[in-house]
Amino acid sequence: YALNSYGLGANTMVAATKTLGSDELHFKNLCSYVVIQLYGTGTVKSITLTGNNGEKLAGTATVTPVYGETPSAVMSNAATTSITLDCGDGVALGSTEGTATEFWFCIPPTTFSKGFTIKATNTDGYFMEKVTSSKKVFERNTKYE
């Protein structure tokens, strides 16, 4: 967890050169950004994002950077189907919609064909779950709230 952003090391970037042997690298972000906004009372310990159709979200992938083009990623069969954002000792929520606390996920470009599920667990062990069922496409270098 990082305040108003994604955690250190969570965002993958790739670079490609125009020609072999060139020192000029062009970096591009690989991931999409999912921002969950929560408010109310309590302190969040963790939040888990899971695709409802087994979409691969973290782990080993084959990444293909091409100079001047959009990089692509193909997740391996061993990749996991959920990502958990660890909030350490906990993050207090803002009390109103206008002061909602943001929790950021970096995920590979993904189509959730049957939606996705968010599960937030508080420091007392209770959880809140939100399930979507409609198809949602998350594109590279785009923020979704």
Side-chain angles (χ1 to χ4, degrees):
Y1 171 81
L3 181 64
N4 298 321
S5 187
Y6 46 83
L8 182 63
N11 189 19
T12 303
M13 293 183 76
V14 296
T17 60
K18 187 173 184 177
T19 60
L20 189 62
S22 172
D23 292 338
E24 186 178 329
L25 293 172
H26 290 257
F27 285 88
K28 292 196 177 201
N29 293 328
L30 180 65
C31 294
S32 177
Y33 312 105
V34 180
V35 181
I36 308 301
Q37 297 177 337
L38 300 176
Y39 63 93
T41 59
T43 303
V44 173
K45 181 75 174 158
S46 66
I47 300 178
T48 301
L49 170 68
T50 306
N52 296 338
N53 198 31
E55 291 85 359
K56 305 289 186 175
L57 300 177
T60 306
T62 300
V63 177
T64 306
V66 178
Y67 181 83
E69 296 182 25
T70 300
S72 65
V74 176
M75 302 305 292
S76 75
N77 288 337
T80 62
T81 58
S82 66
I83 297 175
T84 298
L85 180 62
D86 180 352
C87 298
D89 292 332
V91 174
L93 296 178
S95 59
T96 66
E97 185 175 359
T99 62
T101 304
E102 292 186 347
F103 298 90
W104 288 57
F105 288 89
C106 292
I107 64 170
T110 302
T111 298
F112 291 107
S113 60
K114 295 182 179 179
F116 57 92
T117 299
I118 299 289
K119 180 180 178 182
T121 304
N122 72 12
T123 53
D124 294 324
Y126 296 104
F127 68 90
M128 183 269 319
E129 192 171 78
K130 174 70 175 174
V131 179
T132 67
S133 58
S134 60
K135 179 179 176 180
K136 182 70 176 166
V137 178
F138 291 88
E139 297 176 354
R140 182 197 75 82
N141 206 34
T142 304
K143 176 183 170 186
Y144 300 90
E145 297 183 51

